[in-house]
Amino acid sequence: MSSNSIKIFTGNSHPELSKKVAERLGTELGKVVVMKYSNQETSVTIGESVRDEDVFIIQSGCGEIDDNLMELLIMINACKTASARRITAVIPCFPYARQDKKDKSRAPITAKLVANMLTVAGADHVITMDLHASQIQGFFNIPVDNLYCEPSMVKYIQQQIQNWKNAIIVSPDAGGAKRATSIADRLELDFALIHKERKRANEVSRMVLVGDVRGKIAILVDDMADTCGTLGLAAKTLVENGAEEVYAIVAHGILSGKAIQVINDSVIKKLVVTNTIPHADKMALCPKIDTIDIAPTLAEAIR
């Protein structure tokens, strides 16, 4: 007889986060062996019965993104064929979320492809965090819970930034204006915006500040920091416009390429990221990085 309890499994992308979520729920992680054959094929063995159980599979879209996505799809399918009652894919950082629209001719909408793959593999429900574009929820024909890091960010600002009442919330681009205004409203602070002009992807040519940051603590808020070029330039622009200190708070710290060097060389006092993506190795190289733990948020959503 099944106990109709919940079973939590994790792939190889972020086992530390999965452990924290399981601890918070007072349960153990399910037994699963995920390995690669010598020809790089992914092999998954679920080590316990999931018949008629509520299964949650935690896998973040980071690191070796394609391998981790494939791992997730195979684990979902393995549970599906083992008669799990309901399968929820918990994806703290959604892979390919930036490819969510056809911005030039013949461009793929890869986020929609990932949504189709998850559905075909057998997922009944998806839980994710701070989607790059919230309309990605509409790519699915199954329920999607898009959780927000915002409450955790607000709490961090109030507890960790001294003199935060003399701060101003800044969005480094027009796309993040909604997120920044929402945080500014919650903290009853002013809001500023940086308009950036790009020459090509991942390369910004110039920045124009809209708003007054003179004599204030500037807090940059964004949904992901990849190469950190935008954050570094934005921080420089803010200091040139009279900001006293610059903090950056980001939902997903991808930190690829020269990101660590850019942050170390920049005027940013602290880069605060959530642990949707593992970054212990990056923290060792960059003392400016600080972490917000989002395991409690995920655990409560699962509960």
Side-chain angles (χ1 to χ4, degrees):
M1 281 291 286
S2 83
S3 54
N4 286 148
S5 59
I6 63 171
K7 290 268 170 87
I8 299 175
F9 294 101
T10 179
N12 289 327
S13 73
H14 200 347
E16 300 86 20
L17 178 65
S18 309
K19 278 195 194 88
K20 284 181 177 171
V21 170
E23 272 167 27
R24 176 93 184 186
L25 291 166
T27 174
E28 295 277 309
L29 284 173
K31 295 185 185 71
V32 60
V33 179
V34 183
M35 50 179 264
K36 272 187 168 181
Y37 292 138
S38 56
N39 68 349
Q40 300 301 305
E41 274 183 15
T42 301
S43 148
V44 169
T45 314
I46 305 287
E48 56 190 83
S49 168
V50 292
R51 182 178 295 278
D52 207 30
E53 302 276 17
D54 234 346
V55 174
F56 291 84
I57 301 170
I58 303 175
Q59 180 83 315
S60 202
C62 55
E64 302 281 337
I65 286 192
D66 298 342
D67 285 351
N68 289 338
L69 176 59
M70 206 60 214
E71 241 174 58
L72 174 62
L73 296 169
I74 296 171
M75 284 171 80
I76 290 171
N77 201 251
C79 292
K80 180 89 176 164
T81 49
S83 308
R85 181 167 47 137
R86 188 158 168 270
I87 300 165
T88 303
V90 182
I91 313 173
C93 181
F94 195 82
Y96 293 98
R98 282 180 286 184
Q99 299 183 36
D100 61 334
K101 57 184 176 290
K102 214 172 159 82
D103 49 3
K104 47 188 179 286
S105 54
R106 298 177 297 283
I109 305 177
T110 319
K112 169 70 174 155
L113 173 66
V114 172
N116 290 346
M117 285 156 73
L118 287 165
T119 313
V120 168
D124 299 300
H125 181 196
V126 171
I127 295 176
T128 182
M129 280 214 94
D130 263 303
L131 278 172
H132 184 63
S134 46
Q135 65 264 25
I136 291 174
Q137 293 172 79
F139 294 172
F140 288 87
N141 296 327
I142 54 175
V144 177
D145 286 336
N146 181 25
L147 309 175
Y148 294 102
C149 308
E150 209 173 276
S152 315
M153 288 178 174
V154 168
K155 200 163 143 196
Y156 182 92
I157 291 169
Q158 288 170 329
Q159 291 175 354
Q160 304 290 334
I161 298 180
Q162 289 173 336
N163 199 10
W164 63 268
K165 288 187 173 160
N166 181 37
I168 182 164
I169 307 293
V170 186
S171 171
D173 54 24
K178 199 171 163 198
R179 178 182 297 101
T181 44
S182 171
I183 290 176
D185 288 348
R186 280 187 144 183
L187 292 164
E188 297 180 1
L189 295 174
D190 289 339
F191 158 74
L193 176 81
I194 291 175
H195 170 65
K196 62 182 179 187
E197 293 167 8
R198 286 185 185 276
K199 276 192 283 200
R200 58 180 82 93
N202 279 4
E203 195 179 313
V204 179
S205 57
R206 75 186 194 107
M207 294 196 151
V208 184
L209 176 69
V210 183
D212 182 21
V213 296
R214 201 168 298 284
K216 293 194 170 172
I217 297 168
I219 302 172
L220 280 162
V221 178
D222 208 353
D223 72 325
M224 49 175 69
D226 189 354
T227 53
C228 291
T230 301
L231 285 180
L233 266 174
K236 188 170 162 234
T237 307
L238 290 167
V239 169
E240 282 167 2
N241 281 280
E244 279 181 8
E245 289 180 334
V246 180
Y247 289 83
I249 300 189
V250 179
H252 307 296
I254 301 169
L255 309 179
S256 62
K258 291 187 190 160
I260 297 301
Q261 189 188 333
V262 170
I263 293 299
N264 280 331
D265 296 346
S266 75
V267 292
I268 293 173
K269 186 170 180 186
K270 259 205 166 45
L271 170 66
V272 186
V273 293
T274 69
N275 57 347
T276 53
I277 294 175
H279 51 256
D281 52 335
K282 311 267 172 41
M283 284 178 87
L285 299 170
C286 178
K288 292 183 181 181
I289 296 176
D290 208 351
T291 309
I292 295 175
D293 184 19
I294 49 93
T297 314
L298 289 172
E300 291 314 311
I302 290 173
R303 199 197 297 280

